[in-house]
Amino acid sequence: MDIAGQVAIVTGAASGLGRATADALVREGALVAMLDLDAAALGDAAAQLGARAFPIDVTDAGAAEATLAEIERLGPVRVLVNCAGVAPAGRMVGRDGPMPLASFERVVRVNLIGSFNLMRLAAAAMSRLDPMADGERGVIVNTASVAAFEGQIGQTAYAASKGGVAALTLPAARELASQGIRVMAIAPGLFGTPMLLALPERVQESLAASVPFPGRFGQPGEYAALVVHILRNPMLNGSVIRLDGALRMAAR
């Protein structure tokens, strides 16, 4: 796909992987619609990048439908990158008893259902477009995690939600192939996002040392660079790419 001139949607775009992706796509010449629940941070980020801000809860079906309709007025939507997500830690059975069901439900709702919510709407919008020269109508990139494969103690909700994102990739790609829409997922390892960088320095050093090579956190720009490559390479479809420096998470 030639990214220049395309309308691209990025969720979770106010910070971290989402912001880096929005920045990369703007630099490639795309018209970027940035979505995030944090309206203030989103507005600041969009103003700095020269993108459009759309504050939204990605789990809200009605709000997502209205937002997609508004974005479509900017031009044909060819790209969706889902980066919105939450990653709270919590044991299934802790000192205070079983995990509240609402806690598990929230993580799955944001990470998995929120991704699917935008996917279904973006895919519908893409399917109405005329195909480009190579027959492609659009590309969807979701964010899984290495926790989908090696979830640690305290990550039952997070691992389940990201495992769902990973499992969604191939059937969605197969279903949408006839419409010229590709679906991919990226499973990042340890990345220098605000969540990780808020940890004590000694904890950060210990985590970074667990990455075989390079022995550091991934940089959000490296995630964004992979998104750009996926958009450009038409043979990338239906797969989950680990972006982790050969990291394999231990049990704790």
Side-chain angles (χ1 to χ4, degrees), residues 11-21 83-87 143-145 158 162 187-200 204 207-208 216-224 243:
T11 73
S15 63
L17 303 181
R19 176 166 177 158
T21 300
C83 295
V86 294
T143 304
S145 166
Y158 183 68
K162 292 301 188 177
L190 297 173
F191 269 68
T193 60
M195 179 180 65
L196 273 184
L197 297 179
L199 296 173
Q204 291 187 45
L207 288 172
R216 58 169 173 80
F217 292 155
Q219 299 169 1
E222 292 167 331
Y223 173 97
L243 191 64

Side-chain angles (χ1 to χ4, degrees), residues 35 59-60 62 68 72 90 110 119 152 178 189-190 193 205-206 224 235 240:
L35 279 57
T59 69
D60 187 322
L68 260 291
E72 284 188 275
V110 174
M119 279 183 73
Q152 296 184 295
S178 63
L190 297 173
T193 60
E205 292 174 352
S206 175
M235 284 302 291
V240 182

Side-chain angles (χ1 to χ4, degrees), residues 12-15 35-45 53-57:
S15 63
L35 279 57
D36 203 285
L37 186 61
D38 188 336
L42 180 66
D44 290 344
F54 295 87
I56 184 178
D57 177 350

Side-chain angles (χ1 to χ4, degrees), residues 79-149:
V79 175
L80 168 66
V81 185
N82 275 316
C83 295
V86 294
R91 290 180 178 244
M92 187 187 309
V93 181
R95 294 177 180 176
D96 299 324
M99 174 189 292
L101 185 59
S103 298
F104 184 91
E105 182 180 8
R106 174 177 175 267
V107 178
V108 173
R109 186 161 183 79
V110 174
N111 295 352
L112 178 56
I113 297 177
S115 294
F116 183 81
N117 188 24
L118 271 295
M119 279 183 73
R120 69 186 181 95
L121 298 173
M126 292 172 186
S127 69
R128 295 190 292 266
L129 302 177
D130 292 331
M132 294 179 285
D134 59 359
E136 190 168 75
R137 286 187 170 89
V139 183
I140 296 170
V141 182
N142 291 323
T143 304
S145 166
V146 295
F149 313 106

Side-chain angles (χ1 to χ4, degrees), residues 3-6 8 10 13 16-32 34 45 49-51 79 81 219-229 231-232:
I3 300 170
Q6 310 297 353
V10 182
L17 303 181
R19 176 166 177 158
T21 300
D23 187 12
L25 294 177
V26 167
R27 293 176 186 274
E28 292 291 332
L31 177 55
V32 179
M34 300 174 65
L49 300 183
V79 175
V81 185
Q219 299 169 1
E222 292 167 331
Y223 173 97
L226 181 53
V227 170
V228 170
H229 180 72
L231 298 182
R232 286 178 170 158

